[in-house]
Amino acid sequence: MAGSEFPRLDRDAALSVADLVRGCTFDDFLLTPQRSIVARRDPAAIDLSCRVSQRVALKRPIVSANMDTVTRAPMAIVQAEEGGIGIIDRGFRAGDIQPQVREVEIVKRTQHGVIGDPYSVAPDASVDEAAALMSRSRVGTLVVVDERRRLKGLLTERDLRFVRGEGLRVSDRMTPVDRLVVHTGAVSAEDAERIMVERKVKKLPLVSGDGTLLGLVTARDLVKQRRLPFATRDDQGRLRVGAAIGATGDYLERAAELLKAEVDVLVIDIAHGHSQVMDRAIGEVRKRFGDVELIAGNVGTAEGTKFLLDRGVNGIKVGIGPGGGCTTRMTTSFGVPQAQALVDCRLAIDESDVALIADGGIHRHGGLALALMFGGDCAMLGSAFAGTEEAPGEVVHKSVLLPESQKTVKVPFKVLRGMASLEAIRDRLDVEDADRVEIEALGAEGMEISVPARGSARTIVRDMLKHLCSSISYGGAASLRELRELFWKEPDRYLIKLSASSRRESYER
Ligand code: XMP
């Protein structure tokens, strides 16, 4: 995609930025406002395109984190619809692969250009069987095909309304193929729309010359496509989604099943990606699955980045310890401040077009612009989406004392937990019976936090993107790519390193 790649850096300028950001993170900087050149700070008008990995482009630079309190299908759907992508966590019990696969399937089936494998039923199946399939799959139209997958008709919920099952077959209630509008061969979204408007139908089955079913186009999907022009889609028009697999245990089996479900990108996610374990895991994934789209992490240094580059990954997650639910730095005293990590890793990427994902530490919207300027092709966020409607987990009501009135009110909360927290480890390992000391011996590097329940993650993404467009406008650029180019051409024109009091003035409210 034009404009989606991070610009090449001038080495001298980059080294001076690396010096300046050593030991620093987002809140240590402000950016000097430049003369604005955009008429409107509108995400629909400003190009924010980027990549999450070498061959997966995004129109918006936001990725939801693979955490079990952040990304399952509902979150991944919203992220992809809004132009980013969600990575389904692997926080399911070891050996329990199908639940994660199902989340991927739900995203891939959410909306389509052409539905390549629509739910189907045989003409001689009973109407009860068809009704059960409709309710199980939550799909209101079944394609009726014979044993050689030749199209025989369509069966909709309306065909079954008020019908008692006894003895009735699908062929008794379906609309037979000779009364359907059918298209032979492949079709573009535009042509499908034209045919459906002209012939006044809402469903268009596609068949080959001998009548074999090739797919189904629905008006509902075409309307959604049009309403969500920035959505991240695969070449069949389906939403894209990623999934994390880890680097030990069932990771290869998990990867195999996720790939069968047509996941768009695999993520080997471990706390310390610059490691023997990672070396082996990447080697095994490449050996078993060849050239699949593969992101690995996390690293926070130039050496770590080169290590992953040398092993042929397509994307690299950067962030050792900046995450909201993360205690790595406290428990180990290791980590790299995120601004430094991003600049060092970007320098190490050099001429390669492998994508860098700035993972963690974006706790105010303005942090996104800095993460994307310092080195991230896109940014991964976890706690920013915690507590939203799409985040997994139950809402719990807690009593909160209002200081002004001294009244107690019940406030809805959801839980955010680090994936290396005791609670997440306990669930993943299926060790409910183990006592706390045993689990603590596993070495937790994360914590559990209650976050007030709030509205949809969609609103948060849209607000963040508006603020990112404002950053682009303040930066004197007309697109994300241009902002990065201008910044890296003359970093001194932009970067203001803050004193303790100017940091307070800027970021403490
Ligand atoms: P934010 O700041 O957006 O960061 O919440 C999300 C990222 O935090 C990382 N993460 C962890 N890091 N221990 C860690 O050291 C943990 O338990 C943990 N859980 C999540 C992860 O990289 C995520 O994308």
Side-chain angles (χ1 to χ4, degrees):
M1 182 188 295
S4 67
E5 282 182 25
F6 205 98
R8 301 271 176 265
L9 307 191
D10 170 84
R11 202 152 180 89
D12 289 339
L15 286 172
S16 82
V17 175
D19 258 357
L20 189 69
V21 301
R22 175 155 290 276
C24 296
T25 193
F26 305 132
D27 285 3
D28 293 314
F29 295 97
L30 270 180
L31 297 164
T32 312
Q34 312 291 328
R35 189 166 73 88
S36 170
I37 57 164
V38 292
R40 286 184 307 142
R41 302 168 176 189
D42 177 359
I46 292 180
D47 182 6
L48 301 176
S49 55
C50 64
R51 288 163 322 127
V52 64
S53 75
Q54 250 168 333
R55 289 164 298 195
V56 179
L58 304 177
K59 295 203 178 87
R60 270 74 195 277
I62 293 181
V63 182
S64 68
N66 45 289
M67 297 169 71
D68 66 358
T69 48
V70 178
T71 309
R72 298 253 158 116
M75 180 67 74
I77 289 167
V78 163
Q79 297 298 342
E81 285 184 346
E82 293 301 315
I85 194 166
I87 311 294
I88 308 280
D89 74 279
R90 63 181 163 98
F92 301 89
R93 301 255 159 98
D96 210 0
I97 292 169
Q98 284 314 311
Q100 188 186 20
V101 172
R102 264 200 298 281
E103 300 293 311
V104 168
E105 284 170 350
I106 292 171
V107 182
K108 299 303 295 179
R109 279 192 171 273
T110 295
Q111 70 192 61
H112 311 259
V114 175
I115 308 169
D117 57 343
Y119 286 102
S120 60
V121 68
D124 57 355
S126 72
V127 293
D128 286 346
E129 279 172 63
L133 176 56
M134 282 181 188
S135 108
R136 221 175 33 248
S137 60
R138 290 191 229 130
V139 159
T141 302
L142 301 179
V143 184
V144 185
V145 289
D146 66 13
E147 64 288 350
R148 287 159 63 194
R149 284 201 74 71
R150 277 186 314 217
L151 179 68
K152 293 290 160 193
L154 284 181
L155 185 79
T156 68
E157 268 170 337
R158 279 223 320 253
D159 298 326
L160 299 185
R161 210 172 281 163
F162 309 122
V163 170
R164 289 229 201 91
E166 296 125 33
L168 278 177
R169 303 273 134 206
V170 165
S171 52
D172 298 325
R173 300 298 306 172
M174 70 183 189
T175 306
V177 64
D178 53 14
R179 288 191 7 232
L180 292 174
V181 177
V182 174
H183 180 81
T184 304
V187 71
S188 66
E190 295 73 37
D191 284 347
E193 185 173 332
R194 188 182 41 73
I195 296 167
M196 291 162 92
V197 169
E198 273 173 20
R199 306 292 303 272
K200 296 189 187 164
V201 290
K202 290 184 177 162
K203 306 268 154 59
L204 182 67
L206 308 178
V207 293
S208 63
D210 67 355
T212 306
L213 179 70
L214 295 176
L216 179 72
V217 185
T218 76
R220 184 175 152 271
D221 287 337
L222 292 180
V223 169
K224 269 210 156 172
Q225 290 237 19
R226 180 156 319 156
R227 243 189 27 228
L228 299 164
F230 297 101
T232 309
R233 299 176 196 282
D234 63 18
D235 49 16
Q236 292 176 47
R238 299 173 304 178
L239 295 179
R240 285 195 189 272
V241 60
I245 56 172
T248 53
D250 61 12
Y251 73 107
L252 290 173
E253 216 183 320
R254 194 175 281 283
E257 293 300 312
L258 289 163
L259 289 167
K260 255 192 242 160
E262 299 187 76
V263 72
D264 294 280
V265 54
L266 291 176
V267 180
I268 306 183
D269 62 317
I270 55 177
H272 188 27
H274 187 185
S275 60
Q276 283 303 112
V277 181
M278 180 61 89
D279 183 29
R280 210 203 57 231
I282 296 173
E284 289 297 321
V285 168
R286 286 291 183 227
K287 203 159 81 198
R288 282 272 292 269
F289 308 111
D291 195 23
V292 294
E293 204 64 16
L294 182 66
I295 293 172
N298 279 16
V299 295
T301 60
E303 294 75 18
T305 303
K306 289 205 183 98
F307 172 84
L308 294 178
L309 275 181
D310 288 347
R311 277 148 191 81
V313 298
N314 309 105
I316 296 176
K317 266 195 328 140
V318 176
I320 303 287
C326 164
T327 56
T328 302
R329 294 180 188 174
M330 280 180 272
T331 53
T332 69
S333 289
F334 277 83
V336 185
Q338 189 66 345
Q340 175 183 336
L342 287 169
V343 172
D344 287 352
C345 296
R346 176 51 59 189
L347 259 161
I349 281 279
D350 203 19
E351 297 284 299
S352 161
D353 64 351
V354 164
L356 282 191
I357 299 144
D359 179 14
I362 298 174
H363 302 309
R364 52 179 178 82
H365 289 191
L368 178 61
L370 284 170
L372 298 172
M373 290 165 79
F374 282 140
D377 280 279
C378 61
M380 176 175 266
L381 297 103
S383 36
F385 299 126
T388 57
E389 285 159 17
E390 295 83 1
E394 295 301 308
V395 171
V396 287
H397 286 84
K398 291 190 176 184
S399 298
V400 174
L401 183 71
L402 297 176
E404 317 83 62
S405 60
Q406 290 293 301
K407 278 197 183 137
T408 304
V409 290
K410 290 268 187 201
V411 178
F413 282 91
K414 272 187 167 181
V415 163
L416 169 76
R417 62 189 190 183
M419 288 303 286
S421 64
L422 288 182
E423 296 76 9
I425 295 174
R426 188 199 308 270
D427 279 359
R428 254 199 324 274
L429 296 183
D430 199 2
V431 287
E432 270 127 349
D433 297 335
D435 65 25
R436 192 172 175 90
V437 177
E438 277 178 76
I439 297 172
E440 266 165 10
L442 296 168
E445 290 182 19
M447 58 189 178
E448 191 172 279
I449 315 163
S450 292
V451 184
R454 46 212 173 124
S456 171
R458 199 184 297 278
T459 315
I460 295 174
V461 171
R462 290 185 177 178
D463 281 351
M464 270 186 185
L465 294 173
K466 274 189 225 146
H467 291 138
L468 178 59
C469 289
S470 295
S471 300
I472 289 169
S473 164
Y474 275 114
S479 68
L480 175 57
R481 180 171 171 108
E482 193 184 2
L483 179 67
R484 287 163 162 160
E485 270 166 359
L486 292 171
F487 170 71
W488 282 102
K489 208 157 88 191
E490 291 180 277
D492 293 346
R493 258 183 76 196
Y494 285 86
L495 277 180
I496 306 169
K497 198 158 172 177
L498 299 178
S499 67
S501 49
S502 54
R503 192 176 315 130
R504 266 199 309 278
E505 181 189 79
S506 306
Y507 299 130
E508 286 178 25
R509 291 288 180 276

